[in-house]
Amino acid sequence: MTEEPRLVVLISGDGSNLQAIIDAVRAGKLAAQIVAVISNRRAAFGLTRAQQIGIPTHHFPLKPYRDEGRSRQAYDAHLADLVAAYAPDLVVLAGWMHLLSPAFLDRFPGRVFNLHPALPGQFAGVHAIQRAYEAFQRGEIDHTGVMVHRVIPEMDAGPVVATAEAPIYPEDTLADLEARVHATEHRLLVEAIRDVTSNE
Ligand code: GRF
């Protein structure tokens, strides 16, 4: 019995995408194991979600490095040391809100994946769903979507692994669209991890 693919998940917030992975593993829909969850924010509820089921967690903030005048590369390199100790097959960025430099990425070549709530080439960066909503109101787009991509130093721009569209309706509030996009993310992230781990 070979060991199931080892996932380290990096989060910054509520962790609903982490929860989608947890639920899929528990339901036998994803042959993988989450071996650690790391957040840059202590208050991230995703840490609680992991702790509730005994997954090792770490709070690894950037602020002490900034306060001590240490470089972003130093933070990224030490974060990579922490992640590498878990021997991950995949590093999944599920709502991780920091850019990662080659000091991190080069430690896990081709194995860092990011989930972004927009279609390839659209709305890179923060508040992607709100920006899509506003673009719809201006008549510039008639739908949005989500993607999972391999991470490169450029933000939200690496080779796309999976993508899914999400419709926008005229009667949508922003909250309606956010709920639809997040539900699409939860499905797509599990599918993307399944695809990548089964193709290796
Ligand atoms: C998700 O929309 C993710 O794509 C974006 O931030 C959100 C995090 O949500 N980067 P959660 O923490 O997984 O609930």
Side-chain angles (χ1 to χ4, degrees):
M1 166 68 177
T2 57
E3 189 187 19
E4 291 187 322
R6 299 167 61 85
L7 312 181
V8 171
V9 183
L10 273 55
I11 62 166
S12 296
D14 177 52
S16 67
N17 285 287
L18 165 68
Q19 191 62 54
I21 304 171
I22 290 170
D23 294 347
V25 170
R26 181 182 289 158
K29 294 178 180 170
L30 177 61
Q33 52 181 318
I34 302 170
V35 294
V37 173
I38 300 170
S39 173
N40 61 307
R41 289 184 52 240
R42 184 188 307 279
F45 182 65
L47 290 174
T48 302
R49 296 177 190 269
Q51 287 155 3
Q52 282 172 340
I53 56 172
I55 297 175
T57 61
H58 297 271
H59 169 226
F60 195 76
L62 173 60
K63 189 173 183 302
Y65 286 74
R66 285 188 171 140
D67 292 350
E68 294 161 15
R70 298 167 74 187
S71 71
R72 187 57 177 272
Q73 279 65 25
Y75 173 81
D76 284 5
H78 295 163
L79 176 62
D81 293 341
L82 178 60
V83 171
Y86 286 97
D89 294 295
L90 252 53
V91 180
V92 179
L93 309 186
W96 174 257
M97 302 310 277
H98 280 323
L99 274 181
L100 291 170
S101 69
F104 181 91
L105 298 174
D106 291 353
R107 299 278 295 276
F108 312 99
R111 287 186 285 141
V112 184
F113 294 84
N114 181 49
L115 171 68
H116 184 64
L119 290 172
Q122 287 196 342
F123 311 116
V126 295
H127 308 311
I129 303 172
Q130 180 173 338
R131 289 156 57 205
Y133 183 77
E134 291 164 356
F136 175 83
Q137 303 302 328
R138 293 193 300 269
E140 295 167 3
I141 58 173
D142 63 8
H143 68 281
T144 186
V146 303
M147 67 167 168
V148 175
H149 62 93
R150 293 181 192 271
V151 177
I152 62 174
E154 183 185 351
M155 179 170 56
D156 297 329
V160 176
V161 167
T163 182
E165 294 187 351
I168 310 175
Y169 302 111
E171 66 274 15
D172 276 342
T173 63
L174 175 56
D176 292 332
L177 183 58
E178 283 173 341
R180 187 175 307 123
V181 169
H182 287 319
T184 306
E185 285 189 302
H186 299 162
R187 285 195 307 275
L188 190 75
L189 183 55
V190 171
E191 287 170 18
I193 294 169
R194 188 184 302 122
D195 290 351
V196 171
T197 50
S198 53
N199 292 343
E200 273 189 339

PDB file of all heavy atoms in Angstrom, residues 82-105:
ATOM      1  N   LEU A  82       9.791  24.920   6.824  1.00  0.00           N
ATOM      2  CA  LEU A  82       8.672  24.399   7.623  1.00  0.00           C
ATOM      3  C   LEU A  82       7.824  23.447   6.785  1.00  0.00           C
ATOM      4  O   LEU A  82       7.484  22.340   7.222  1.00  0.00           O
ATOM      5  CB  LEU A  82       7.827  25.581   8.122  1.00  0.00           C
ATOM      6  CG  LEU A  82       6.571  25.276   8.933  1.00  0.00           C
ATOM      7  CD1 LEU A  82       6.914  24.511  10.213  1.00  0.00           C
ATOM      8  CD2 LEU A  82       5.840  26.584   9.252  1.00  0.00           C
ATOM      9  N   VAL A  83       7.545  23.843   5.566  1.00  0.00           N
ATOM     10  CA  VAL A  83       6.707  23.018   4.676  1.00  0.00           C
ATOM     11  C   VAL A  83       7.458  21.747   4.285  1.00  0.00           C
ATOM     12  O   VAL A  83       6.903  20.643   4.322  1.00  0.00           O
ATOM     13  CB  VAL A  83       6.298  23.824   3.427  1.00  0.00           C
ATOM     14  CG1 VAL A  83       5.610  22.916   2.398  1.00  0.00           C
ATOM     15  CG2 VAL A  83       5.361  24.976   3.815  1.00  0.00           C
ATOM     16  N   ALA A  84       8.740  21.895   3.943  1.00  0.00           N
ATOM     17  CA  ALA A  84       9.530  20.747   3.464  1.00  0.00           C
ATOM     18  C   ALA A  84       9.625  19.651   4.521  1.00  0.00           C
ATOM     19  O   ALA A  84       9.704  18.465   4.188  1.00  0.00           O
ATOM     20  CB  ALA A  84      10.920  21.211   3.056  1.00  0.00           C
ATOM     21  N   ALA A  85       9.578  20.062   5.786  1.00  0.00           N
ATOM     22  CA  ALA A  85       9.686  19.070   6.876  1.00  0.00           C
ATOM     23  C   ALA A  85       8.545  18.055   6.824  1.00  0.00           C
ATOM     24  O   ALA A  85       8.649  16.957   7.379  1.00  0.00           O
ATOM     25  CB  ALA A  85       9.692  19.790   8.226  1.00  0.00           C
ATOM     26  N   TYR A  86       7.460  18.417   6.118  1.00  0.00           N
ATOM     27  CA  TYR A  86       6.313  17.494   6.010  1.00  0.00           C
ATOM     28  C   TYR A  86       6.376  16.662   4.731  1.00  0.00           C
ATOM     29  O   TYR A  86       5.434  15.919   4.424  1.00  0.00           O
ATOM     30  CB  TYR A  86       4.999  18.297   6.057  1.00  0.00           C
ATOM     31  CG  TYR A  86       4.689  18.786   7.457  1.00  0.00           C
ATOM     32  CD1 TYR A  86       5.029  20.081   7.857  1.00  0.00           C
ATOM     33  CD2 TYR A  86       4.089  17.944   8.388  1.00  0.00           C
ATOM     34  CE1 TYR A  86       4.767  20.530   9.144  1.00  0.00           C
ATOM     35  CE2 TYR A  86       3.822  18.379   9.680  1.00  0.00           C
ATOM     36  CZ  TYR A  86       4.155  19.670  10.046  1.00  0.00           C
ATOM     37  OH  TYR A  86       3.897  20.099  11.327  1.00  0.00           O
ATOM     38  N   ALA A  87       7.456  16.819   3.971  1.00  0.00           N
ATOM     39  CA  ALA A  87       7.648  16.040   2.732  1.00  0.00           C
ATOM     40  C   ALA A  87       6.392  16.038   1.862  1.00  0.00           C
ATOM     41  O   ALA A  87       5.821  14.978   1.546  1.00  0.00           O
ATOM     42  CB  ALA A  87       8.046  14.605   3.057  1.00  0.00           C
ATOM     43  N   PRO A  88       5.921  17.227   1.451  1.00  0.00           N
ATOM     44  CA  PRO A  88       4.672  17.279   0.681  1.00  0.00           C
ATOM     45  C   PRO A  88       4.843  16.795  -0.755  1.00  0.00           C
ATOM     46  O   PRO A  88       5.876  17.070  -1.386  1.00  0.00           O
ATOM     47  CB  PRO A  88       4.307  18.770   0.700  1.00  0.00           C
ATOM     48  CG  PRO A  88       5.629  19.476   0.813  1.00  0.00           C
ATOM     49  CD  PRO A  88       6.470  18.576   1.686  1.00  0.00           C
ATOM     50  N   ASP A  89       3.842  16.125  -1.265  1.00  0.00           N
ATOM     51  CA  ASP A  89       3.794  15.859  -2.712  1.00  0.00           C
ATOM     52  C   ASP A  89       3.239  17.095  -3.416  1.00  0.00           C
ATOM     53  O   ASP A  89       3.590  17.391  -4.561  1.00  0.00           O
ATOM     54  CB  ASP A  89       2.898  14.644  -2.981  1.00  0.00           C
ATOM     55  CG  ASP A  89       3.506  13.372  -2.386  1.00  0.00           C
ATOM     56  OD1 ASP A  89       4.575  12.974  -2.873  1.00  0.00           O
ATOM     57  OD2 ASP A  89       2.951  12.835  -1.409  1.00  0.00           O
ATOM     58  N   LEU A  90       2.312  17.793  -2.717  1.00  0.00           N
ATOM     59  CA  LEU A  90       1.685  19.005  -3.260  1.00  0.00           C
ATOM     60  C   LEU A  90       1.626  20.069  -2.175  1.00  0.00           C
ATOM     61  O   LEU A  90       1.374  19.742  -1.012  1.00  0.00           O
ATOM     62  CB  LEU A  90       0.235  18.693  -3.662  1.00  0.00           C
ATOM     63  CG  LEU A  90      -0.161  18.607  -5.119  1.00  0.00           C
ATOM     64  CD1 LEU A  90       0.728  17.641  -5.856  1.00  0.00           C
ATOM     65  CD2 LEU A  90      -1.618  18.192  -5.224  1.00  0.00           C
ATOM     66  N   VAL A  91       1.833  21.317  -2.565  1.00  0.00           N
ATOM     67  CA  VAL A  91       1.598  22.445  -1.669  1.00  0.00           C
ATOM     68  C   VAL A  91       0.419  23.216  -2.266  1.00  0.00           C
ATOM     69  O   VAL A  91       0.489  23.664  -3.428  1.00  0.00           O
ATOM     70  CB  VAL A  91       2.827  23.369  -1.558  1.00  0.00           C
ATOM     71  CG1 VAL A  91       2.546  24.529  -0.613  1.00  0.00           C
ATOM     72  CG2 VAL A  91       4.049  22.574  -1.081  1.00  0.00           C
ATOM     73  N   VAL A  92      -0.668  23.309  -1.515  1.00  0.00           N
ATOM     74  CA  VAL A  92      -1.900  23.909  -2.025  1.00  0.00           C
ATOM     75  C   VAL A  92      -2.131  25.258  -1.353  1.00  0.00           C
ATOM     76  O   VAL A  92      -2.218  25.347  -0.125  1.00  0.00           O
ATOM     77  CB  VAL A  92      -3.107  22.977  -1.757  1.00  0.00           C
ATOM     78  CG1 VAL A  92      -4.403  23.611  -2.276  1.00  0.00           C
ATOM     79  CG2 VAL A  92      -2.879  21.611  -2.411  1.00  0.00           C
ATOM     80  N   LEU A  93      -2.207  26.307  -2.150  1.00  0.00           N
ATOM     81  CA  LEU A  93      -2.495  27.654  -1.633  1.00  0.00           C
ATOM     82  C   LEU A  93      -4.001  27.861  -1.738  1.00  0.00           C
ATOM     83  O   LEU A  93      -4.530  28.051  -2.831  1.00  0.00           O
ATOM     84  CB  LEU A  93      -1.742  28.717  -2.449  1.00  0.00           C
ATOM     85  CG  LEU A  93      -0.233  28.494  -2.660  1.00  0.00           C
ATOM     86  CD1 LEU A  93       0.372  29.718  -3.366  1.00  0.00           C
ATOM     87  CD2 LEU A  93       0.481  28.194  -1.363  1.00  0.00           C
ATOM     88  N   ALA A  94      -4.665  27.771  -0.602  1.00  0.00           N
ATOM     89  CA  ALA A  94      -6.133  27.870  -0.570  1.00  0.00           C
ATOM     90  C   ALA A  94      -6.500  29.130   0.200  1.00  0.00           C
ATOM     91  O   ALA A  94      -6.761  29.109   1.393  1.00  0.00           O
ATOM     92  CB  ALA A  94      -6.716  26.631   0.098  1.00  0.00           C
ATOM     93  N   GLY A  95      -6.443  30.263  -0.524  1.00  0.00           N
ATOM     94  CA  GLY A  95      -6.741  31.511   0.149  1.00  0.00           C
ATOM     95  C   GLY A  95      -5.520  32.093   0.841  1.00  0.00           C
ATOM     96  O   GLY A  95      -5.622  32.901   1.741  1.00  0.00           O
ATOM     97  N   TRP A  96      -4.351  31.668   0.393  1.00  0.00           N
ATOM     98  CA  TRP A  96      -3.080  32.202   0.927  1.00  0.00           C
ATOM     99  C   TRP A  96      -2.837  33.577   0.292  1.00  0.00           C
ATOM    100  O   TRP A  96      -2.842  33.691  -0.933  1.00  0.00           O
ATOM    101  CB  TRP A  96      -1.945  31.243   0.583  1.00  0.00           C
ATOM    102  CG  TRP A  96      -0.567  31.696   0.919  1.00  0.00           C
ATOM    103  CD1 TRP A  96       0.366  32.192   0.050  1.00  0.00           C
ATOM    104  CD2 TRP A  96       0.058  31.708   2.215  1.00  0.00           C
ATOM    105  NE1 TRP A  96       1.516  32.491   0.713  1.00  0.00           N
ATOM    106  CE2 TRP A  96       1.364  32.218   2.042  1.00  0.00           C
ATOM    107  CE3 TRP A  96      -0.358  31.326   3.491  1.00  0.00           C
ATOM    108  CZ2 TRP A  96       2.250  32.357   3.105  1.00  0.00           C
ATOM    109  CZ3 TRP A  96       0.543  31.472   4.549  1.00  0.00           C
ATOM    110  CH2 TRP A  96       1.810  31.981   4.352  1.00  0.00           C
ATOM    111  N   MET A  97      -2.663  34.595   1.140  1.00  0.00           N
ATOM    112  CA  MET A  97      -2.702  35.964   0.604  1.00  0.00           C
ATOM    113  C   MET A  97      -1.316  36.589   0.455  1.00  0.00           C
ATOM    114  O   MET A  97      -1.179  37.800   0.365  1.00  0.00           O
ATOM    115  CB  MET A  97      -3.588  36.852   1.489  1.00  0.00           C
ATOM    116  CG  MET A  97      -5.006  36.346   1.614  1.00  0.00           C
ATOM    117  SD  MET A  97      -5.754  35.963  -0.004  1.00  0.00           S
ATOM    118  CE  MET A  97      -6.295  37.567  -0.508  1.00  0.00           C
ATOM    119  N   HIS A  98      -0.266  35.802   0.477  1.00  0.00           N
ATOM    120  CA  HIS A  98       1.065  36.386   0.225  1.00  0.00           C
ATOM    121  C   HIS A  98       1.602  35.871  -1.113  1.00  0.00           C
ATOM    122  O   HIS A  98       1.401  34.708  -1.457  1.00  0.00           O
ATOM    123  CB  HIS A  98       2.051  35.955   1.315  1.00  0.00           C
ATOM    124  CG  HIS A  98       1.957  36.735   2.590  1.00  0.00           C
ATOM    125  ND1 HIS A  98       1.697  38.088   2.638  1.00  0.00           N
ATOM    126  CD2 HIS A  98       2.072  36.333   3.877  1.00  0.00           C
ATOM    127  CE1 HIS A  98       1.679  38.475   3.895  1.00  0.00           C
ATOM    128  NE2 HIS A  98       1.896  37.442   4.676  1.00  0.00           N
ATOM    129  N   LEU A  99       2.316  36.730  -1.823  1.00  0.00           N
ATOM    130  CA  LEU A  99       3.057  36.254  -2.990  1.00  0.00           C
ATOM    131  C   LEU A  99       4.224  35.402  -2.480  1.00  0.00           C
ATOM    132  O   LEU A  99       4.773  35.674  -1.406  1.00  0.00           O
ATOM    133  CB  LEU A  99       3.612  37.452  -3.770  1.00  0.00           C
ATOM    134  CG  LEU A  99       2.666  38.077  -4.791  1.00  0.00           C
ATOM    135  CD1 LEU A  99       3.359  39.233  -5.500  1.00  0.00           C
ATOM    136  CD2 LEU A  99       2.221  37.042  -5.807  1.00  0.00           C
ATOM    137  N   LEU A 100       4.601  34.383  -3.240  1.00  0.00           N
ATOM    138  CA  LEU A 100       5.734  33.543  -2.840  1.00  0.00           C
ATOM    139  C   LEU A 100       6.850  33.699  -3.874  1.00  0.00           C
ATOM    140  O   LEU A 100       6.620  33.585  -5.076  1.00  0.00           O
ATOM    141  CB  LEU A 100       5.293  32.078  -2.733  1.00  0.00           C
ATOM    142  CG  LEU A 100       4.336  31.784  -1.555  1.00  0.00           C
ATOM    143  CD1 LEU A 100       3.770  30.376  -1.673  1.00  0.00           C
ATOM    144  CD2 LEU A 100       5.057  31.965  -0.223  1.00  0.00           C
ATOM    145  N   SER A 101       8.045  33.968  -3.392  1.00  0.00           N
ATOM    146  CA  SER A 101       9.194  34.196  -4.279  1.00  0.00           C
ATOM    147  C   SER A 101       9.873  32.865  -4.596  1.00  0.00           C
ATOM    148  O   SER A 101       9.577  31.840  -3.976  1.00  0.00           O
ATOM    149  CB  SER A 101      10.193  35.121  -3.567  1.00  0.00           C
ATOM    150  OG  SER A 101      10.778  34.403  -2.488  1.00  0.00           O
ATOM    151  N   PRO A 102      10.825  32.891  -5.537  1.00  0.00           N
ATOM    152  CA  PRO A 102      11.583  31.661  -5.836  1.00  0.00           C
ATOM    153  C   PRO A 102      12.254  31.057  -4.595  1.00  0.00           C
ATOM    154  O   PRO A 102      12.505  29.851  -4.565  1.00  0.00           O
ATOM    155  CB  PRO A 102      12.615  32.148  -6.850  1.00  0.00           C
ATOM    156  CG  PRO A 102      11.947  33.295  -7.542  1.00  0.00           C
ATOM    157  CD  PRO A 102      11.128  33.981  -6.479  1.00  0.00           C
ATOM    158  N   ALA A 103      12.496  31.856  -3.566  1.00  0.00           N
ATOM    159  CA  ALA A 103      13.096  31.308  -2.324  1.00  0.00           C
ATOM    160  C   ALA A 103      12.201  30.228  -1.734  1.00  0.00           C
ATOM    161  O   ALA A 103      12.659  29.347  -1.009  1.00  0.00           O
ATOM    162  CB  ALA A 103      13.320  32.429  -1.307  1.00  0.00           C
ATOM    163  N   PHE A 104      10.908  30.305  -2.052  1.00  0.00           N
ATOM    164  CA  PHE A 104       9.970  29.242  -1.640  1.00  0.00           C
ATOM    165  C   PHE A 104       9.705  28.297  -2.815  1.00  0.00           C
ATOM    166  O   PHE A 104       9.874  27.088  -2.724  1.00  0.00           O
ATOM    167  CB  PHE A 104       8.642  29.859  -1.165  1.00  0.00           C
ATOM    168  CG  PHE A 104       7.638  28.831  -0.710  1.00  0.00           C
ATOM    169  CD1 PHE A 104       7.583  28.440   0.625  1.00  0.00           C
ATOM    170  CD2 PHE A 104       6.767  28.231  -1.610  1.00  0.00           C
ATOM    171  CE1 PHE A 104       6.667  27.475   1.052  1.00  0.00           C
ATOM    172  CE2 PHE A 104       5.843  27.269  -1.199  1.00  0.00           C
ATOM    173  CZ  PHE A 104       5.809  26.896   0.139  1.00  0.00           C
ATOM    174  N   LEU A 105       9.317  28.884  -3.935  1.00  0.00           N
ATOM    175  CA  LEU A 105       8.830  28.084  -5.071  1.00  0.00           C
ATOM    176  C   LEU A 105       9.885  27.107  -5.584  1.00  0.00           C
ATOM    177  O   LEU A 105       9.572  25.972  -5.950  1.00  0.00           O
ATOM    178  CB  LEU A 105       8.360  29.010  -6.194  1.00  0.00           C
ATOM    179  CG  LEU A 105       7.192  29.943  -5.848  1.00  0.00           C
ATOM    180  CD1 LEU A 105       6.932  30.892  -7.013  1.00  0.00           C
ATOM    181  CD2 LEU A 105       5.947  29.143  -5.490  1.00  0.00           C
TER     182      LEU A 105
END
